[in-house]
Amino acid sequence: MALTSIKPMLKIAQRDSYAVAAFNPVDYASMKAMVAAAQECDAPVIIQTSAKTIRYYGHEALFSWFKPLAENADVPVALHLDHGKDLDMIKKCIDIGWTSVMIDASDKPFEENLEITKKVVAWADAKGVGVEAEIGEIGGVEEDIVVAEEDAHLADPNEAERFCKAVELGVFAAAIGTAHGYYHGEPDVQFDLIEEINKRTATPMALHGGTGLDKETIARCIALGCAKVNISTNLKHVFIDSFVDHKKENPTDYEPLSYLKAQFQALKALFADKITEFGGAGKGGNMLKEIEG
Ligand code: 13P
């Protein structure tokens, strides 16, 4: 049984100084390619559905794709909700079988964010589900969540400490200078802030806005305590471009399955590349044994 909560998964990753790659699927094939890449690399992986994707397909369809894929894998696979803002949607994820959920109330004042997060943690704890929460506000565009540059702000280390003492999170998304989507200019990643928050919270951190960050930056963030790295925009580009490229290279091909095959291979290669870059390759089987005892 490879369905895994992010809680033990990310504790192990943080202890062993690597990060688990988290990708946002857009359909069944992209989800399947994530598990295939993880399996090929012997690595844990996090499949994180956006709220927009859940609204498009419904909880039931997404879970019915995920369950057999994860059950037949022999590496740990988590199904996570990314940037959940709607409490009914979050509750339904927990009830149906998501192994972790993110409550993103980062647009609310600190105390309100904490109270909402406590409520979600109580639901999640009852089902062994891990929780991610955000403080500060991460800029950029993530599906239909748009945080303008002037509204984005960094996490405060005192608030980070208070937050993580008040609730036991599986992973903590503190805004540390990254942004969703491609970067316009050099990202201003606050390495000292990551280090300080990690020291004061001892909670694995999530690195949002993984697309467009260079390898050195990501490696430094992982070394300082980021145990989950999110990639979405990169996947969307490969998803579309692989289709377009196949058409350019094979102008007379009207066999849909050959397009799907080319797309699957391109996505799998991207996922394997990121999993390996973040240090997860070769860790999956042992992590699963450790979690299952
Ligand atoms: P990117 O779209 O920049 O890869 O960020 C993904 C993310 O952080 C999802 O929460």
Side-chain angles (χ1 to χ4, degrees), residues 46-49 78-82 98 100-102 132 228:
I46 298 169
I47 294 171
Q48 55 179 15
T49 55
L79 183 64
H80 180 63
L81 167 68
D82 191 27
W98 263 246
S100 63
V101 290
M102 177 176 185
E132 174 174 354
K228 170 177 181 270

Side-chain angles (χ1 to χ4, degrees), residues 48 82-83 142 179-181 208-211 230-233:
Q48 55 179 15
D82 191 27
H83 293 283
E142 177 51 40
H180 297 119
H208 282 251
T211 300
N230 292 357
I231 301 286
S232 175
T233 304

Side-chain angles (χ1 to χ4, degrees), residues 267-279:
L267 287 169
K268 186 155 75 85
L270 168 73
F271 300 146
D273 192 43
K274 296 295 171 191
I275 285 170
T276 306
E277 181 190 329
F278 306 157

Side-chain angles (χ1 to χ4, degrees), residues 102-261:
M102 177 176 185
I103 165 66
D104 175 3
S106 60
D107 53 335
K108 307 270 193 292
F110 178 82
E111 296 299 341
E112 196 179 340
N113 182 357
L114 181 56
E115 282 319 300
I116 297 171
T117 303
K118 276 185 185 165
K119 189 171 173 169
V120 171
V121 168
W123 293 338
D125 277 354
K127 298 250 182 181
V129 165
V131 175
E132 174 174 354
E134 176 175 330
I135 75 158
E137 232 182 320
I138 299 167
V141 179
E142 177 51 40
E143 302 284 29
D144 36 20
I145 302 169
V146 181
V147 179
E149 223 172 291
E150 59 272 23
D151 293 327
H153 58 275
L154 297 172
D156 173 278
N158 294 324
E159 288 189 348
E161 186 174 348
R162 262 192 68 207
F163 203 94
C164 292
K165 279 195 172 137
V167 277
E168 201 196 323
L169 299 174
V171 59
F172 187 40
I176 46 85
T178 60
H180 297 119
Y182 277 107
Y183 291 88
H184 316 287
E186 269 303 297
D188 189 15
V189 180
Q190 305 290 305
F191 298 106
D192 292 350
L193 184 59
I194 303 177
E195 190 171 17
E196 178 159 13
I197 291 177
N198 184 46
K199 223 189 304 167
R200 289 168 68 166
T201 66
T203 304
M205 287 172 70
L207 187 64
H208 282 251
T211 300
L213 290 178
D214 62 46
K215 288 190 170 132
E216 291 69 29
T217 301
I218 293 189
R220 236 176 124 182
C221 294
I222 294 172
L224 293 172
C226 291
K228 170 177 181 270
V229 181
N230 292 357
I231 301 286
S232 175
T233 304
N234 211 169
L235 174 170
K236 291 178 181 178
H237 281 244
V238 170
F239 188 88
I240 305 286
D241 291 347
S242 54
F243 239 75
V244 175
D245 291 348
H246 186 79
K247 173 68 178 158
K248 274 191 206 144
E249 285 156 21
N250 308 275
T252 57
D253 188 0
Y254 280 91
E255 170 49 55
L257 291 178
S258 63
Y259 284 77
L260 294 177
K261 207 167 162 182

Side-chain angles (χ1 to χ4, degrees), residues 2 4-24 34-35 37-39 41-48 75-80 99-100 132 170-171 204-210 218 221-223 225-232 270-285 287-288 291:
T4 311
S5 163
I6 50 158
K7 230 174 179 173
M9 192 187 246
L10 297 181
K11 255 189 204 147
I12 293 171
Q14 195 192 36
R15 180 197 69 198
D16 295 347
S17 302
Y18 65 93
V20 180
F23 306 112
N24 298 51
M34 289 167 197
V35 181
Q39 189 74 34
C41 295
D42 178 26
V45 71
I46 298 169
I47 294 171
Q48 55 179 15
V75 290
V77 187
L79 183 64
H80 180 63
T99 61
S100 63
E132 174 174 354
V171 59
M205 287 172 70
L207 187 64
H208 282 251
I218 293 189
C221 294
I222 294 172
C226 291
K228 170 177 181 270
V229 181
N230 292 357
I231 301 286
S232 175
L270 168 73
F271 300 146
D273 192 43
K274 296 295 171 191
I275 285 170
T276 306
E277 181 190 329
F278 306 157
K283 309 285 196 329
M287 180 192 270
L288 195 58
I291 292 173

